[in-house]
Coordinates of all heavy atoms in Angstrom, one line a residue:
M192 N -16.6 12.1 -0.2 CA -16.2 11.7 -1.5 C -15.8 13.2 -2.2 O -16.5 14.1 -2.0 CB -17.4 11.1 -2.2 CG -17.0 10.8 -3.6 SD -18.3 9.7 -4.5 CE -18.3 8.4 -3.6
F193 N -14.8 13.1 -2.9 CA -14.3 14.4 -3.7 C -14.6 14.2 -5.2 O -14.4 13.1 -5.8 CB -12.9 14.5 -3.5 CG -12.4 14.9 -2.1 CD1 -12.0 14.0 -1.2 CD2 -12.6 16.3 -1.6 CE1 -11.7 14.1 0.0 CE2 -12.3 16.5 -0.3 CZ -11.8 15.4 0.5
F194 N -14.9 15.2 -5.8 CA -15.2 15.2 -7.3 C -14.5 16.4 -7.9 O -14.6 17.6 -7.3 CB -16.7 15.2 -7.7 CG -16.9 15.6 -9.1 CD1 -16.8 14.4 -10.1 CD2 -17.1 16.7 -9.5 CE1 -16.9 14.7 -11.4 CE2 -17.3 17.0 -11.0 CZ -17.1 16.0 -11.9
W195 N -13.7 16.3 -8.9 CA -13.1 17.3 -9.6 C -13.1 17.1 -11.1 O -12.9 16.0 -11.3 CB -11.7 17.7 -9.0 CG -10.6 16.7 -9.2 CD1 -9.7 16.8 -10.2 CD2 -10.6 15.4 -8.6 NE1 -8.9 15.6 -9.9 CE2 -9.4 14.8 -9.1 CE3 -11.2 14.8 -7.5 CZ2 -9.0 13.6 -8.7 CZ3 -10.9 13.5 -7.1 CH2 -9.7 13.0 -7.7
P196 N -13.4 18.1 -11.9 CA -13.5 17.8 -13.3 C -12.1 17.7 -14.0 O -11.5 18.7 -14.3 CB -14.3 19.0 -13.8 CG -14.0 20.1 -12.9 CD -13.8 19.5 -11.5
T197 N -11.7 16.3 -14.0 CA -10.5 16.0 -14.7 C -10.7 14.6 -15.5 O -11.8 14.1 -15.4 CB -9.4 15.9 -13.7 OG1 -8.1 15.7 -14.3 CG2 -9.6 14.6 -12.8
G198 N -10.0 14.3 -16.3 CA -10.0 13.1 -17.3 C -10.8 12.1 -16.4 O -11.3 12.2 -15.4
W199 N -10.7 10.9 -17.0 CA -11.4 9.6 -16.3 C -10.4 8.5 -16.4 O -9.5 8.4 -17.2 CB -12.7 9.3 -16.9 CG -12.9 9.1 -18.2 CD1 -12.2 8.0 -19.0 CD2 -13.7 9.7 -19.2 NE1 -12.7 8.2 -20.3 CE2 -13.7 9.2 -20.5 CE3 -14.6 10.8 -19.1 CZ2 -14.2 9.5 -21.6 CZ3 -15.4 11.2 -20.2 CH2 -15.2 10.6 -21.5
R200 N -10.7 7.4 -15.7 CA -9.8 6.3 -15.5 C -10.4 5.2 -16.6 O -11.5 5.2 -16.9 CB -9.8 5.8 -14.2 CG -9.3 6.9 -13.2 CD -7.8 7.3 -13.5 NE -7.4 8.4 -12.7 CZ -7.2 9.6 -13.1 NH1 -7.5 10.0 -14.4 NH2 -7.0 10.6 -12.3
P201 N -9.6 4.2 -16.9 CA -10.1 3.1 -17.8 C -11.3 2.4 -17.2 O -12.2 2.1 -18.0 CB -8.9 2.1 -17.7 CG -7.7 3.0 -17.5 CD -8.1 4.1 -16.6
I202 N -11.4 2.4 -15.8 CA -12.7 1.7 -15.4 C -14.0 2.5 -15.8 O -15.0 1.8 -15.9 CB -12.7 1.6 -13.7 CG1 -13.6 0.6 -13.3 CG2 -12.7 3.0 -13.1 CD1 -13.6 0.2 -11.9
H203 N -13.9 3.7 -16.0 CA -15.1 4.5 -16.4 C -15.6 4.0 -17.8 O -16.7 3.7 -18.1 CB -14.8 6.0 -16.5 CG -14.7 6.5 -15.0 ND1 -13.4 7.1 -14.8 CD2 -15.3 6.6 -14.0 CE1 -13.4 7.4 -13.5 NE2 -14.6 7.2 -13.0
E204 N -14.5 3.9 -18.6 CA -15.0 3.4 -20.1 C -15.4 2.0 -20.0 O -16.3 1.5 -20.8 CB -13.8 3.5 -21.1 CG -13.6 5.1 -21.3 CD -12.5 5.2 -22.3 OE1 -12.0 4.3 -22.9 OE2 -11.9 6.4 -22.5
Q205 N -14.9 1.1 -19.1 CA -15.1 -0.3 -19.1 C -16.6 -0.5 -18.4 O -17.2 -1.6 -18.6 CB -14.1 -1.1 -18.2 CG -12.7 -1.1 -18.9 CD -11.6 -1.5 -17.8 OE1 -11.8 -1.8 -16.7 NE2 -10.4 -1.5 -18.3
S206 N -17.0 0.5 -17.6 CA -18.2 0.1 -16.9 C -19.4 0.8 -17.5 O -20.5 0.7 -17.0 CB -18.1 0.5 -15.4 OG -17.7 1.9 -15.3
M207 N -19.2 1.7 -18.5 CA -20.3 2.4 -19.1 C -20.4 1.9 -20.6 O -19.6 1.4 -21.2 CB -20.1 3.9 -19.2 CG -20.0 4.5 -17.9 SD -19.9 6.3 -17.9 CE -18.2 6.5 -18.1
E208 N -21.7 1.9 -21.0 CA -22.0 1.6 -22.4 C -21.2 2.5 -23.4 O -21.2 3.7 -23.1 CB -23.4 1.6 -22.8 CG -24.1 0.5 -22.0 CD -25.7 0.6 -22.3 OE1 -26.1 1.3 -23.4 OE2 -26.5 0.0 -21.6
A209 N -20.7 1.9 -24.5 CA -19.9 2.8 -25.5 C -20.8 3.9 -25.9 O -20.2 5.1 -26.1 CB -19.5 2.0 -26.6
S210 N -22.0 3.8 -26.1 CA -22.8 5.0 -26.6 C -23.0 6.1 -25.6 O -23.1 7.1 -26.0 CB -24.3 4.3 -26.9 OG -24.9 3.9 -25.8
H211 N -22.9 5.6 -24.4 CA -23.0 6.7 -23.3 C -21.6 7.4 -23.2 O -21.6 8.7 -23.2 CB -23.4 6.0 -21.9 CG -23.3 7.1 -20.7 ND1 -24.3 8.0 -20.7 CD2 -22.5 7.3 -19.8 CE1 -24.1 8.8 -19.6 NE2 -23.1 8.4 -19.1
V212 N -20.6 6.6 -23.3 CA -19.2 7.2 -23.1 C -19.2 8.3 -24.3 O -18.4 9.4 -24.3 CB -18.1 6.3 -23.3 CG1 -16.8 6.8 -23.4 CG2 -18.2 5.4 -22.0
A213 N -19.6 7.9 -25.7 CA -19.4 8.8 -26.8 C -20.2 10.1 -26.5 O -19.7 11.1 -27.2 CB -20.0 8.0 -27.9
R214 N -21.1 10.2 -25.7 CA -21.8 11.4 -25.4 C -21.2 12.3 -24.4 O -21.5 13.7 -24.3 CB -23.3 11.2 -25.0 CG -24.1 10.7 -26.1 CD -25.6 10.5 -25.6 NE -25.9 10.0 -24.4 CZ -26.2 8.7 -24.1 NH1 -26.4 7.9 -25.3 NH2 -26.4 8.3 -23.0
L215 N -20.3 11.7 -23.7 CA -19.5 12.6 -22.7 C -18.3 13.5 -23.2 O -17.7 13.0 -24.3 CB -18.9 11.6 -21.6 CG -20.0 10.7 -20.9 CD1 -19.3 9.7 -20.0 CD2 -21.0 11.5 -20.1
T216 N -18.1 14.5 -22.5 CA -16.9 15.4 -22.8 C -15.7 14.9 -22.0 O -15.9 15.0 -20.8 CB -17.2 16.8 -22.7 OG1 -18.4 17.2 -23.4 CG2 -16.1 17.7 -23.0
Q217 N -14.7 14.4 -22.5 CA -13.5 14.0 -21.8 C -12.8 15.3 -21.5 O -12.4 16.1 -22.3 CB -12.6 13.2 -22.7 CG -11.3 12.9 -22.1 CD -11.2 12.0 -20.8 OE1 -11.8 12.4 -19.8 NE2 -10.6 10.9 -21.0
R218 N -12.7 15.6 -20.2 CA -12.1 16.8 -19.6 C -10.5 16.5 -19.6 O -10.2 15.4 -19.3 CB -12.6 17.3 -18.3 CG -14.0 17.7 -18.5 CD -14.5 18.3 -17.0 NE -15.8 18.8 -17.2 CZ -16.9 18.5 -16.7 NH1 -16.9 17.3 -16.2 NH2 -18.0 19.1 -16.9
P219 N -9.7 17.6 -19.9 CA -8.3 17.4 -19.7 C -7.8 17.0 -18.3 O -8.5 17.4 -17.4 CB -7.7 18.6 -20.2 CG -8.7 19.7 -20.0 CD -10.1 19.0 -20.1
E220 N -6.7 16.4 -18.2 CA -6.2 16.2 -16.8 C -5.9 17.6 -16.1 O -5.6 18.6 -16.8 CB -4.9 15.5 -16.9 CG -5.1 14.0 -17.3 CD -5.8 13.1 -16.4 OE1 -5.7 13.3 -15.2 OE2 -6.6 12.2 -16.8
H221 N -6.0 17.5 -14.8 CA -5.8 18.8 -14.1 C -4.9 18.5 -12.8 O -5.4 18.3 -11.9 CB -7.2 19.5 -13.6 CG -7.0 20.9 -13.2 ND1 -6.2 21.3 -12.3 CD2 -7.8 21.9 -13.7 CE1 -6.3 22.5 -12.0 NE2 -7.3 23.0 -12.9
P222 N -3.6 18.3 -13.1 CA -2.7 18.0 -12.1 C -2.8 18.8 -10.8 O -2.7 18.1 -9.6 CB -1.3 18.1 -12.7 CG -1.5 18.1 -14.2 CD -2.9 18.7 -14.4
A223 N -3.0 20.0 -10.8 CA -3.0 20.9 -9.6 C -4.2 20.5 -8.8 O -4.2 20.3 -7.5 CB -3.1 22.4 -10.0
A224 N -5.4 20.2 -9.4 CA -6.7 19.7 -8.8 C -6.4 18.5 -8.2 O -6.8 18.1 -7.0 CB -7.8 19.9 -9.8
T225 N -5.9 17.6 -8.9 CA -5.6 16.2 -8.5 C -4.7 16.2 -7.2 O -4.9 15.5 -6.3 CB -5.0 15.3 -9.6 OG1 -5.9 15.3 -10.6 CG2 -4.6 13.9 -9.0
E226 N -3.6 16.9 -7.2 CA -2.7 17.1 -6.0 C -3.4 17.8 -4.8 O -3.3 17.3 -3.7 CB -1.5 17.9 -6.4 CG -0.6 17.3 -7.3 CD -0.2 15.8 -6.8 OE1 0.2 15.8 -5.6 OE2 -0.2 14.8 -7.6
A227 N -4.4 18.6 -5.0 CA -5.2 19.2 -4.0 C -6.2 18.2 -3.4 O -6.2 18.1 -2.1 CB -6.0 20.5 -4.5
V228 N -6.7 17.4 -4.3 CA -7.6 16.3 -3.7 C -6.8 15.3 -2.9 O -7.3 14.8 -1.9 CB -8.4 15.7 -4.8 CG1 -9.1 14.4 -4.3 CG2 -9.4 16.7 -5.4
K229 N -5.5 14.9 -3.6 CA -4.7 14.0 -2.7 C -4.4 14.6 -1.4 O -4.5 13.8 -0.3 CB -3.5 13.6 -3.4 CG -3.6 12.8 -4.7 CD -2.4 12.6 -5.3 CE -2.5 11.8 -6.6 NZ -1.2 11.5 -7.3
F230 N -4.1 15.8 -1.3 CA -3.9 16.5 0.0 C -5.0 16.4 1.0 O -4.9 16.1 2.2 CB -3.4 17.9 -0.2 CG -3.1 18.8 1.0 CD1 -2.1 18.6 1.8 CD2 -4.1 19.6 1.4 CE1 -1.8 19.3 2.8 CE2 -3.8 20.3 2.6 CZ -2.8 20.1 3.4
L231 N -6.1 16.8 0.4 CA -7.4 16.8 1.3 C -7.8 15.4 1.8 O -8.2 15.1 2.9 CB -8.6 17.3 0.4 CG -8.4 18.8 0.1 CD1 -9.5 19.3 -0.8 CD2 -8.4 19.7 1.5
R232 N -7.6 14.3 0.8 CA -7.9 12.9 1.3 C -7.0 12.5 2.4 O -7.4 11.9 3.4 CB -7.6 11.9 0.1 CG -8.7 12.0 -0.9 CD -8.4 11.0 -2.1 NE -9.5 10.8 -3.0 CZ -9.5 10.2 -4.0 NH1 -8.3 9.7 -4.5 NH2 -10.4 10.1 -4.9
K233 N -5.6 12.9 2.4 CA -4.7 12.5 3.4 C -5.3 13.2 4.7 O -5.1 12.6 5.8 CB -3.3 13.0 3.1 CG -2.7 12.2 2.1 CD -1.2 12.7 1.8 CE -0.6 11.9 0.7 NZ 0.7 12.2 0.5
G234 N -5.8 14.4 4.6 CA -6.3 15.1 5.9 C -7.5 14.3 6.4 O -7.7 14.1 7.6
V235 N -8.4 13.8 5.5 CA -9.6 13.1 6.0 C -9.1 11.8 6.6 O -9.6 11.3 7.6 CB -10.5 12.7 4.7 CG1 -11.6 11.9 5.2 CG2 -11.0 14.2 4.4
V236 N -8.2 11.1 6.0 CA -7.6 9.9 6.5 C -7.0 10.1 7.9 O -7.3 9.3 8.9 CB -6.5 9.3 5.6 CG1 -5.8 8.2 6.3 CG2 -7.2 8.8 4.3
A237 N -6.3 11.2 8.2 CA -5.8 11.4 9.5 C -6.9 11.8 10.4 O -6.7 11.3 11.6 CB -4.8 12.6 9.3
I238 N -7.9 12.5 10.1 CA -8.9 12.8 11.0 C -9.6 11.4 11.3 O -10.0 11.2 12.7 CB -9.9 13.7 10.3 CG1 -9.3 15.1 10.2 CG2 -11.2 13.7 11.2 CD1 -10.1 16.1 9.4
C239 N -10.0 10.7 10.4 CA -10.6 9.2 10.6 C -9.7 8.4 11.6 O -10.1 7.8 12.6 CB -10.8 8.4 9.3 SG -12.2 9.1 8.4
A240 N -8.3 8.5 11.4 CA -7.5 7.6 12.2 C -7.5 8.1 13.6 O -7.4 7.5 14.7 CB -6.1 7.6 11.5
R241 N -7.4 9.4 13.8 CA -7.3 10.2 15.0 C -8.5 9.8 15.9 O -8.4 9.6 17.1 CB -7.2 11.6 14.7 CG -6.8 12.5 16.1 CD -6.4 13.7 15.8 NE -7.1 14.6 15.0 CZ -6.9 15.1 13.9 NH1 -5.7 14.9 13.3 NH2 -7.7 15.7 13.1
H242 N -9.6 9.6 15.3 CA -10.9 9.3 16.0 C -11.4 7.9 16.0 O -12.4 7.5 16.5 CB -12.0 10.3 15.5 CG -11.8 11.6 15.7 ND1 -12.0 12.3 17.0 CD2 -11.3 12.7 15.0 CE1 -11.6 13.6 16.9 NE2 -11.3 13.8 15.6
G243 N -10.4 7.0 15.4 CA -10.7 5.6 15.5 C -11.9 5.3 14.6 O -12.6 4.3 14.9
T244 N -12.2 6.0 13.5 CA -13.2 5.8 12.6 C -12.8 5.3 11.2 O -11.6 5.3 11.1 CB -14.1 7.1 12.5 OG1 -13.3 8.0 11.8 CG2 -14.7 7.6 13.7
G245 N -13.8 4.9 10.5 CA -13.5 4.6 9.1 C -14.2 5.4 8.0 O -14.9 6.4 8.3
H246 N -14.1 5.0 6.9 CA -14.7 5.7 5.7 C -15.2 4.6 4.7 O -14.6 3.6 4.6 CB -13.7 6.5 5.2 CG -14.2 7.5 4.1 ND1 -14.6 7.3 2.8 CD2 -14.6 8.9 4.2 CE1 -15.1 8.3 2.2 NE2 -15.1 9.3 3.0
F247 N -16.3 5.0 4.1 CA -16.9 4.0 3.2 C -16.0 3.8 2.0 O -16.3 2.8 1.2 CB -18.2 4.5 2.7 CG -18.2 5.6 1.7 CD1 -18.3 5.4 0.3 CD2 -18.3 7.0 2.2 CE1 -18.4 6.5 -0.5 CE2 -18.3 8.1 1.3 CZ -18.3 7.9 -0.1
Q248 N -15.0 4.5 1.7 CA -14.1 4.2 0.6 C -12.8 3.4 1.1 O -11.8 3.7 0.6 CB -13.7 5.5 -0.1 CG -14.9 6.1 -0.9 CD -14.4 7.2 -1.6 OE1 -13.6 8.1 -1.2 NE2 -14.8 7.4 -2.9
I249 N -12.9 2.6 2.1 CA -11.8 1.9 2.6 C -11.1 1.2 1.6 O -9.7 0.9 1.9 CB -12.1 1.2 3.9 CG1 -13.1 -0.1 3.6 CG2 -12.6 2.0 5.0 CD1 -13.2 -1.1 4.5
G250 N -11.7 0.6 0.7 CA -11.1 -0.2 -0.3 C -9.9 0.3 -1.0 O -8.9 -0.5 -1.3
R251 N -9.8 1.5 -1.5 CA -8.8 2.0 -2.3 C -8.1 3.1 -1.7 O -6.9 3.2 -1.5 CB -9.4 2.4 -3.7 CG -9.9 1.1 -4.3 CD -10.0 1.3 -5.8 NE -10.6 0.3 -6.5 CZ -9.9 -0.8 -7.0 NH1 -8.5 -0.9 -6.9 NH2 -10.5 -1.9 -7.5
T252 N -8.9 4.2 -1.3 CA -8.2 5.5 -0.9 C -7.7 5.3 0.6 O -6.8 5.9 0.9 CB -9.1 6.7 -1.2 OG1 -9.5 6.8 -2.5 CG2 -8.4 7.9 -0.7
Y253 N -8.6 4.9 1.3 CA -8.4 5.0 2.8 C -7.8 3.7 3.3 O -8.2 2.6 2.7 CB -9.7 5.4 3.5 CG -10.2 6.8 3.1 CD1 -11.0 6.8 1.9 CD2 -9.7 7.8 3.6 CE1 -11.4 8.0 1.5 CE2 -10.2 9.0 3.2 CZ -10.9 9.1 2.1 OH -11.4 10.4 1.7
P254 N -6.9 3.7 4.3 CA -6.3 2.4 4.8 C -7.2 1.5 5.4 O -8.1 1.9 6.2 CB -5.3 3.0 5.8 CG -5.8 4.2 6.2 CD -6.5 4.9 5.0
Y255 N -7.2 0.3 5.2 CA -7.9 -0.8 5.8 C -6.9 -1.8 6.5 O -6.9 -1.9 7.8 CB -8.7 -1.6 5.0 CG -9.6 -2.6 5.5 CD1 -10.7 -2.2 6.4 CD2 -9.3 -3.9 5.4 CE1 -11.4 -3.2 7.0 CE2 -10.0 -4.9 6.0 CZ -11.1 -4.5 6.9 OH -11.8 -5.6 7.5
R256 N -5.9 -2.3 5.7 CA -5.1 -3.4 6.2 C -4.2 -2.9 7.4 O -4.0 -3.4 8.4 CB -4.2 -3.9 5.0 CG -3.4 -5.1 5.4 CD -2.6 -5.4 4.1 NE -2.1 -6.9 4.3 CZ -2.8 -7.9 4.0 NH1 -4.1 -7.8 3.7 NH2 -2.3 -9.2 4.2
E257 N -3.9 -1.6 7.2 CA -2.9 -1.0 8.1 C -3.6 -0.8 9.5 O -2.9 -0.7 10.5 CB -2.3 0.4 7.7 CG -1.6 0.3 6.3 CD -2.5 0.2 5.1 OE1 -3.6 0.3 5.1 OE2 -1.8 0.2 4.1
S258 N -4.9 -0.7 9.5 CA -5.6 -0.4 10.8 C -6.1 -1.9 11.4 O -6.8 -1.7 12.5 CB -6.8 0.4 10.5 OG -7.8 -0.2 9.7
R259 N -5.8 -3.0 10.9 CA -6.2 -4.2 11.5 C -5.1 -4.9 12.3 O -3.9 -4.4 12.1 CB -6.4 -5.2 10.4 CG -7.5 -4.8 9.4 CD -9.0 -4.6 9.9 NE -9.0 -3.2 10.2 CZ -10.1 -2.7 10.8 NH1 -11.1 -3.4 11.2 NH2 -10.1 -1.4 10.9
D260 N -5.4 -5.6 13.4 CA -4.3 -6.3 14.1 C -3.8 -7.4 13.3 O -4.4 -8.0 12.5 CB -4.9 -6.5 15.6 CG -6.0 -7.6 15.5 OD1 -5.9 -8.6 14.8 OD2 -6.8 -7.4 16.4
P261 N -2.6 -8.0 13.8 CA -2.1 -9.1 13.1 C -2.9 -10.3 12.9 O -3.0 -11.0 12.0 CB -0.8 -9.4 14.0 CG -0.5 -8.0 14.6 CD -1.8 -7.5 14.9
A262 N -3.7 -10.6 14.0 CA -4.6 -11.9 13.9 C -5.7 -11.7 12.8 O -6.0 -12.6 12.0 CB -5.3 -12.2 15.2
F263 N -6.2 -10.5 12.8 CA -7.3 -10.3 11.8 C -6.6 -10.2 10.3 O -7.2 -10.7 9.4 CB -7.9 -8.9 12.0 CG -9.2 -8.8 11.3 CD1 -10.4 -9.4 11.6 CD2 -9.3 -7.9 10.1 CE1 -11.5 -9.3 10.7 CE2 -10.4 -7.8 9.3 CZ -11.5 -8.5 9.6
T264 N -5.5 -9.7 10.3 CA -4.8 -9.6 8.9 C -4.4 -11.1 8.4 O -4.7 -11.3 7.4 CB -3.5 -8.8 9.0 OG1 -3.8 -7.5 9.4 CG2 -2.9 -8.8 7.6
A265 N -4.1 -11.8 9.3 CA -3.8 -13.3 9.0 C -5.2 -14.0 8.5 O -5.2 -14.7 7.5 CB -3.2 -14.1 10.2
L266 N -6.3 -13.7 9.2 CA -7.5 -14.2 8.8 C -7.9 -13.7 7.4 O -8.3 -14.5 6.5 CB -8.6 -13.8 9.8 CG -10.1 -14.3 9.5 CD1 -10.3 -15.8 9.3 CD2 -11.1 -13.7 10.5
L267 N -7.8 -12.4 7.2 CA -8.0 -11.9 5.8 C -7.2 -12.6 4.8 O -7.7 -13.0 3.7 CB -7.7 -10.4 5.8 CG -8.7 -9.5 6.5 CD1 -8.1 -8.0 6.4 CD2 -10.0 -9.4 5.8
D268 N -5.9 -12.7 5.1 CA -5.1 -13.4 4.1 C -5.4 -14.9 3.8 O -5.3 -15.3 2.7 CB -3.5 -13.4 4.6 CG -2.9 -12.0 4.6 OD1 -3.5 -11.2 3.9 OD2 -2.0 -11.8 5.3
T269 N -5.7 -15.5 4.8 CA -6.3 -17.0 4.6 C -7.6 -17.0 3.9 O -7.7 -17.9 3.0 CB -6.6 -17.6 6.1 OG1 -5.2 -17.5 6.8 CG2 -7.0 -19.1 6.1
L270 N -8.5 -16.1 4.1 CA -9.8 -16.0 3.3 C -9.5 -15.8 2.0 O -10.0 -16.4 1.0 CB -10.7 -15.1 4.0 CG -11.3 -15.5 5.4 CD1 -12.2 -14.4 6.0 CD2 -12.2 -16.7 5.1
K271 N -8.6 -14.7 1.7 CA -8.4 -14.2 0.3 C -7.8 -15.4 -0.5 O -8.1 -15.7 -1.6 CB -7.5 -13.1 0.4 CG -7.1 -12.5 -1.0 CD -8.2 -11.8 -1.7 CE -7.6 -11.1 -3.0 NZ -8.8 -10.6 -3.8
A272 N -6.7 -16.1 0.2 CA -6.1 -17.3 -0.5 C -7.0 -18.3 -0.8 O -6.8 -19.0 -1.9 CB -4.9 -17.6 0.4
H273 N -7.9 -18.7 0.0 CA -8.8 -19.7 -0.2 C -9.8 -19.4 -1.2 O -10.2 -20.1 -2.1 CB -9.5 -20.1 1.1 CG -10.5 -21.2 0.9 ND1 -10.0 -22.5 0.8 CD2 -11.8 -21.2 1.0 CE1 -11.2 -23.3 0.7 NE2 -12.2 -22.6 0.8
L274 N -10.4 -18.2 -1.2 CA -11.6 -17.7 -1.9 C -11.2 -17.2 -3.3 O -12.0 -17.3 -4.2 CB -12.4 -16.8 -1.2 CG -13.1 -17.3 0.1 CD1 -13.9 -16.1 0.8 CD2 -14.1 -18.4 -0.2
D275 N -9.9 -16.6 -3.4 CA -9.5 -16.0 -4.6 C -7.9 -16.1 -4.8 O -7.2 -15.3 -4.7 CB -9.8 -14.4 -4.5 CG -9.5 -13.8 -5.7 OD1 -9.6 -14.2 -6.8 OD2 -9.2 -12.5 -5.7
P276 N -7.6 -17.5 -5.0 CA -6.1 -17.8 -5.0 C -5.5 -17.1 -6.2 O -4.2 -16.9 -6.0 CB -6.2 -19.3 -5.2 CG -7.5 -19.6 -5.7 CD -8.4 -18.6 -5.2
K277 N -6.1 -16.7 -7.2 CA -5.4 -16.1 -8.4 C -5.5 -14.6 -8.2 O -5.0 -13.7 -9.0 CB -6.0 -16.4 -9.7 CG -5.6 -17.9 -10.0 CD -6.2 -18.3 -11.4 CE -5.9 -19.8 -11.7 NZ -6.3 -20.2 -12.9
G278 N -6.1 -14.0 -7.2 CA -6.2 -12.6 -6.9 C -6.9 -11.9 -8.0 O -6.6 -10.8 -8.4
L279 N -7.9 -12.5 -8.6 CA -8.8 -11.9 -9.6 C -9.9 -10.9 -9.3 O -10.2 -10.1 -9.8 CB -9.3 -13.0 -10.5 CG -8.4 -14.0 -11.1 CD1 -9.1 -15.1 -11.9 CD2 -7.5 -13.2 -12.0
F280 N -10.4 -11.2 -8.0 CA -11.5 -10.5 -7.4 C -11.0 -9.1 -6.7 O -10.2 -9.1 -5.8 CB -12.3 -11.3 -6.5 CG -13.5 -10.4 -5.9 CD1 -14.6 -10.4 -6.6 CD2 -13.5 -10.0 -4.6 CE1 -15.7 -9.6 -6.3 CE2 -14.6 -9.4 -4.1 CZ -15.7 -9.1 -4.9
N281 N -11.3 -7.9 -7.4 CA -11.1 -6.7 -6.9 C -9.5 -6.6 -6.5 O -9.3 -6.2 -5.4 CB -11.9 -6.4 -5.6 CG -12.8 -5.2 -5.7 OD1 -12.6 -4.4 -6.7 ND2 -13.5 -4.9 -4.7
P282 N -8.6 -6.8 -7.4 CA -7.3 -6.7 -7.2 C -6.7 -5.4 -6.6 O -7.2 -4.3 -7.2 CB -6.6 -7.1 -8.6 CG -7.6 -6.7 -9.6 CD -9.0 -6.9 -8.9
G283 N -5.9 -5.3 -5.7 CA -5.4 -4.1 -5.2 C -6.2 -3.4 -4.1 O -5.9 -2.3 -3.6
V284 N -7.4 -4.1 -3.7 CA -8.2 -3.5 -2.8 C -8.0 -4.1 -1.4 O -7.5 -5.2 -1.2 CB -9.7 -3.8 -3.2 CG1 -10.7 -3.2 -2.2 CG2 -9.8 -3.1 -4.6
L285 N -8.2 -3.3 -0.3 CA -8.0 -3.7 1.1 C -6.7 -4.0 1.5 O -6.4 -4.7 2.4 CB -8.9 -4.8 1.4 CG -10.5 -4.5 1.2 CD1 -11.3 -5.8 1.6 CD2 -10.9 -3.3 2.2
G286 N -5.7 -3.5 0.6 CA -4.3 -3.8 0.9 C -3.7 -5.1 0.5 O -2.6 -5.4 0.6
F287 N -4.5 -5.8 -0.5 CA -3.9 -7.0 -1.0 C -3.2 -6.7 -2.3 O -3.5 -5.6 -2.9 CB -5.1 -8.0 -1.5 CG -5.9 -8.6 -0.3 CD1 -7.1 -8.2 0.2 CD2 -5.2 -9.5 0.6 CE1 -7.7 -8.7 1.3 CE2 -5.7 -10.1 1.6 CZ -7.1 -9.7 1.9
S288 N -2.3 -7.5 -2.7 CA -1.5 -7.1 -4.0 C -2.5 -7.1 -5.2 O -3.5 -7.6 -5.2 CB -0.4 -8.2 -4.1 OG -1.1 -9.4 -4.3
E289 N -1.8 -6.4 -6.2 CA -2.6 -6.3 -7.4 C -3.0 -7.7 -8.1 O -4.1 -7.8 -8.5 CB -1.8 -5.5 -8.5 CG -1.7 -4.1 -8.0 CD -3.0 -3.3 -8.2 OE1 -3.8 -3.6 -9.2 OE2 -3.2 -2.5 -7.4
R290 N -2.0 -8.6 -8.2 CA -2.3 -9.9 -8.7 C -1.3 -10.9 -7.9 O -0.2 -10.7 -7.7 CB -2.0 -9.9 -10.2 CG -3.1 -9.5 -11.1 CD -4.1 -10.5 -11.1 NE -5.4 -9.9 -11.6 CZ -5.8 -10.1 -12.9 NH1 -5.2 -11.0 -13.6 NH2 -7.0 -9.5 -13.3
Q291 N -1.9 -12.0 -7.6 CA -1.2 -13.0 -6.8 C -0.8 -14.1 -7.7 O 0.1 -14.9 -7.3 CB -2.0 -13.6 -5.7 CG -2.3 -12.5 -4.7 CD -3.1 -13.0 -3.5 OE1 -3.4 -14.2 -3.4 NE2 -3.6 -12.1 -2.6
G292 N -1.3 -14.3 -8.9 CA -0.9 -15.5 -9.7 C -1.3 -15.4 -11.1 O -1.8 -14.5 -11.6

């Protein structure tokens, strides 16, 4: 997991109490640091893929769908369509589209 002091995303404000957010200092965006972390993440992804391993952040940063075989991908798609037909649960995670309906 990488941490670098740069702004925050909407999910941070949505998942914290307003009183807590009010006490935090919003740091400015730091594009150079963000690009460095993107570069490092790609390196970690490549290392994991090379050794056939995974990472606990498979949902967003690290590939999941791309590492599955076609039969398993079909099973995932069937389960997702049945359990979450509108794509409301964790949209954009595990390689599923942002919203399906």
